[in-house]
Amino acid sequence: MRDRIGFVGSGMLGSTILRAWLDSGTVTPDALIVANRSGILPDVPQARSITVTTDPASLAARCGTIVLCVPPAAAPALGLHAPDALILSVMAAATLADITRLTGATRVIRAMSSPAAAHGMAYSPFVTTPAATRADLALARRLLGACGPCDQLADEVLLDHFTAMTGPVPGFVAAFAEAMVAHAVRVGTPPEIADRAIRQLFLSAGHMLAKDAPTAAEHVQGMIDYAGTTAAGLESLRQSTLHHDVSEALSAAAEQARRMRPA
């Protein structure tokens, strides 16, 4: 029987994806086999009912779908030969061609997710090889969808940029929050209050951006058009190098992803 889902790797990202699947009921514990170096599962629901192994090859022999969630540098050492399996990879940097070379599989789906999966709030764009079937795509959408919204991309090159933009949660958003907290402290706000205030700001702003119809640019323009206190600050940002600096930072992160391709 090869109708089970194999999951290779159970670090921070892997454990959050497993938690999202189990919490949502998308995958049941008896349908999972997890391979990792320790042979011990992380703290995930119903862990005792999940089969665990330290041998990826034995997992491949028993699973029709295999999820790869290891650092790209660790992938070549897995010795994973699974030409008949569907491979769903959430490894950073490893391309469709890399994954095919490492596993022998032709049905490959490469996705980018994030630790926000634990809360059902990850964003997971993905690309596929031509051999992936409609059933493969449906399964990938179900598994990724348990972690949050997902979209299929036409151009694999974009995934390196999403590795930079949406993969490192909270990452770049936390960097902007850090700057706002530092300003609040600099003008005299007690650090614990500054931290709590900015956390709440980003929580509420994220919710509004996710749920409201206007785009981010429309929200900004609307506040500028209102001509209130916020408009002065936003106009100052527009005249600064903020957009250029953010683009440079994201491009640097995407370039690092390209340098991390598995050997």
Side-chain angles (χ1 to χ4, degrees), residues 216-252:
E218 289 167 345
H219 271 291
V220 170
Q221 190 59 52
M223 287 196 162
I224 289 175
D225 292 343
Y226 186 72
T229 56
T230 306
L234 293 175
E235 288 284 16
S236 177
L237 282 178
R238 278 193 166 178
Q239 294 168 21
S240 73
T241 61
L242 176 66
H243 281 219
H244 174 269
D245 292 343
V246 169
S247 180
E248 287 288 299
L250 292 171
S251 294

Side-chain angles (χ1 to χ4, degrees), residues 102-160:
L102 291 167
T103 65
T106 58
R107 295 159 50 228
V108 177
I109 296 175
R110 177 191 171 195
M112 187 71 249
S113 193
S114 82
H119 307 287
M121 297 177 68
Y123 176 70
S124 304
F126 66 92
V127 292
T128 78
T129 56
T133 67
R134 288 187 179 182
D136 294 337
L137 289 176
L139 177 59
R141 286 188 178 277
R142 183 163 66 87
L143 296 176
L144 295 172
C147 303
C150 62
D151 286 307
Q152 183 174 0
L153 302 176
D155 187 351
E156 184 178 9
V157 172
L158 292 176
L159 270 186
D160 288 333

